[in-house]
Amino acid sequence: MTGPVPSLGPLESAVLDVLWAADAPMTPGAVQAALGGDHAYTTVMTVLVRLLDKGVVHRTKAGRAYAYLPALSAADLAAGRLHEVLGTSGDPMATMSRFVEGLDPGEADALRRALDELDR
Amino acid sequence: MSPWLVAPLVVTAAGLLVALGVPRNASPRAGAWVLACAAVATVAGLASGLALLAVAGAAQVHAVTDVMGWCRDLYPGGGRFGGWIGLAAAAALVVAATRVAAVIAGARRQRHAIGAVNGLRVVAADGPVAFAVPGRHGGVVVGDGLLSLLDADETAAVLAHERAHLRLHHHRFVVVALACAAALPVLAPVARRVRFATERWADEVAAAEVGSRLVVARAVARAGLMRGAGGPAGAMAFGGGQTVARVRALMDPPSAPAALVPVAVGLAGLLVTLLGSSVQVHHLAEFVASLCRP
């Protein structure tokens, strides 16, 4: 996923979890049932449309109703978030230490020379 | 108010300078501890000095003493530091505290953004992604680009390095040092040294685990060249110069026992810093205690 990752609220995450767990697109009614019936049908509909808007789910026609399926895998979402974190942590105050940092000018040559010595 | 009450800050600064004398090729573990403790002691000393100025300034403003019930004229003939200096000191403290809070909040935000790792997670990434996420659901995150570049031994070295970070809680050193540098920007080089020390520390632990320092050196060099190609364009890397230094340190023979002398020097500097800082804290406590005695 190359664009910015949308942030998801708790209910949106829960709905997305339900869709990931399913092996076929689900109608809003099915999603509502899978969530345990704790939420109103209209609430679930709203969330699905919001996720559609954010590009996180697709929908297809299923008879006369729509069925929803995820547009991203869980791994894609996690990777997308990761890229955001990595992207913002080019700054000196990054607390997450990476295995290697960016190189100074001239450092690349020094590294290549060191590798030549190591590979000898 | 006697300027001698803030004189320990001079001692603290001197101690910090000596502690910085811990040379890079002293044991990285000792370096990380000494520098992190020196940074904390310096900030503690400075913060208490500022707090002392702020409270002393407030004690000389009659409106404040009326409201707080403090004795007026706490220092007869004093008034060398007016309420304005106290106000400036208080403002500096607030700014520093805000910056520290921002560092800690930023660290938490980054961890939440990454989510649960549960030991190991491979992600799709072009650059040399490999880092350790601390916490109960933490673990090592590795990019598939790096995995396809490195051979089996080098991969083991990277994983051992990151696991060492987690086992030895290096993120605490780094966050503490960064927080100190946020409170007192002149400590930024100390924070860089602490981060470098934790990287060297993890390198040596990985080398012991993998059985070869040269394998780790090769892994760092190859990962570094991968980063060089695709890193943030033009930006001066925070860890600038550290990658080559790490590779060279691994290629050189391990530090000889003669490193005891620089470590002793560093420890002496640390002790002086702690002493100056604790005297400063003591002054603050005494002053605040004396406020409540009419």
Side-chain angles (χ1 to χ4, degrees), chain A residues 25-31 41 45 48 58-69:
Chain A
M26 296 176 75
T27 60
V31 173
Y41 181 82
M45 268 292 321
L48 284 166
H58 292 316
R59 72 179 175 190
T60 73
K61 265 308 201 150
R64 288 192 306 171
Y66 282 116
Y68 293 80
L69 63 156

Side-chain angles (χ1 to χ4, degrees), chain B residues 8-218:
Chain B
L9 288 178
V10 175
V11 169
T12 307
L16 180 67
L17 284 172
V18 174
L20 280 173
V22 176
R24 279 173 195 262
N25 60 0
S27 143
R29 184 162 144 255
W33 273 108
V34 167
L35 291 172
C37 290
V40 170
T42 307
V43 170
L46 186 72
S48 358
L50 284 174
L52 187 57
L53 286 174
V55 176
Q60 283 166 14
V61 175
H62 283 220
V64 174
T65 53
D66 286 343
V67 167
M68 301 292 288
W70 292 342
C71 341
R72 298 182 184 182
D73 301 327
L74 204 61
Y75 292 105
R80 195 190 300 229
F81 297 100
W84 292 113
I85 293 186
L87 191 63
L93 273 175
V94 167
V95 166
T98 310
R99 291 168 60 105
V100 167
V103 165
I104 295 175
R108 197 171 294 143
R109 202 172 37 240
Q110 282 190 346
R111 272 209 245 164
H112 285 163
I114 290 172
V117 177
N118 295 323
L120 177 69
R121 182 138 66 104
V122 178
V123 296
D126 295 329
V129 168
F131 56 89
V133 182
R136 202 164 8 121
H137 302 290
V140 179
V141 177
V142 194
D144 61 357
L146 186 64
L147 288 179
S148 52
L149 175 80
L150 301 177
D151 67 30
D153 287 336
E154 292 160 358
T155 303
V158 172
L159 292 176
H161 171 107
E162 297 302 334
R163 277 199 306 265
H165 277 325
L166 292 174
R167 228 169 34 241
L168 299 164
H169 306 293
H170 287 168
H171 68 281
R172 290 181 190 163
F173 289 86
V174 172
V175 170
V176 163
L178 283 174
C180 290
L184 189 55
V186 76
L187 290 178
V190 175
R192 269 196 291 277
R193 293 274 306 268
V194 169
R195 195 198 283 279
F196 181 72
T198 60
E199 293 303 328
R200 282 281 303 122
W201 190 354
D203 281 342
E204 294 295 342
V205 171
E209 224 178 275
V210 164
S212 162
R213 300 172 81 231
L214 298 182
V215 165
V216 182
R218 205 180 296 126

Side-chain angles (χ1 to χ4, degrees), chain A residues 27-116:
Chain A
T27 60
V31 173
Q32 182 197 20
L35 287 173
D38 297 326
H39 304 276
Y41 181 82
T42 48
T43 308
V44 174
M45 268 292 321
T46 309
V47 170
L48 284 166
V49 169
R50 215 182 294 145
L51 288 174
L52 185 71
D53 221 22
K54 291 182 180 179
V56 175
V57 301
H58 292 316
R59 72 179 175 190
T60 73
K61 265 308 201 150
R64 288 192 306 171
Y66 282 116
Y68 293 80
L69 63 156
L72 302 166
S73 67
D76 288 336
L77 197 67
R81 279 215 193 93
L82 215 53
H83 280 286
E84 255 174 37
V85 171
L86 298 178
T88 56
S89 61
D91 71 282
M93 296 305 271
T95 48
M96 206 76 68
S97 294
R98 277 80 58 81
F99 183 62
V100 286
E101 302 289 338
L103 301 182
D104 275 355
E107 233 188 327
D109 287 333
L111 284 178
R112 274 184 220 110
R113 268 180 271 128
L115 268 178
D116 286 340

Side-chain angles (χ1 to χ4, degrees), chain B residues 170-282:
Chain B
H170 287 168
H171 68 281
R172 290 181 190 163
F173 289 86
V174 172
V175 170
V176 163
L178 283 174
C180 290
L184 189 55
V186 76
L187 290 178
V190 175
R192 269 196 291 277
R193 293 274 306 268
V194 169
R195 195 198 283 279
F196 181 72
T198 60
E199 293 303 328
R200 282 281 303 122
W201 190 354
D203 281 342
E204 294 295 342
V205 171
E209 224 178 275
V210 164
S212 162
R213 300 172 81 231
L214 298 182
V215 165
V216 182
R218 205 180 296 126
V220 174
R222 296 180 72 197
L225 284 169
M226 210 184 164
R227 163 74 73 187
M236 169 70 177
F238 184 60
Q242 293 192 354
T243 313
V244 168
R246 282 166 62 193
V247 172
R248 283 288 159 196
L250 287 162
M251 289 168 71
D252 290 339
S255 315
L260 276 176
V261 168
V263 168
V265 165
L267 280 174
L270 176 66
L271 278 173
V272 169
T273 308
L274 285 171
L275 186 70
S277 164
S278 51
V279 171
Q280 196 61 63
V281 171
H282 174 76

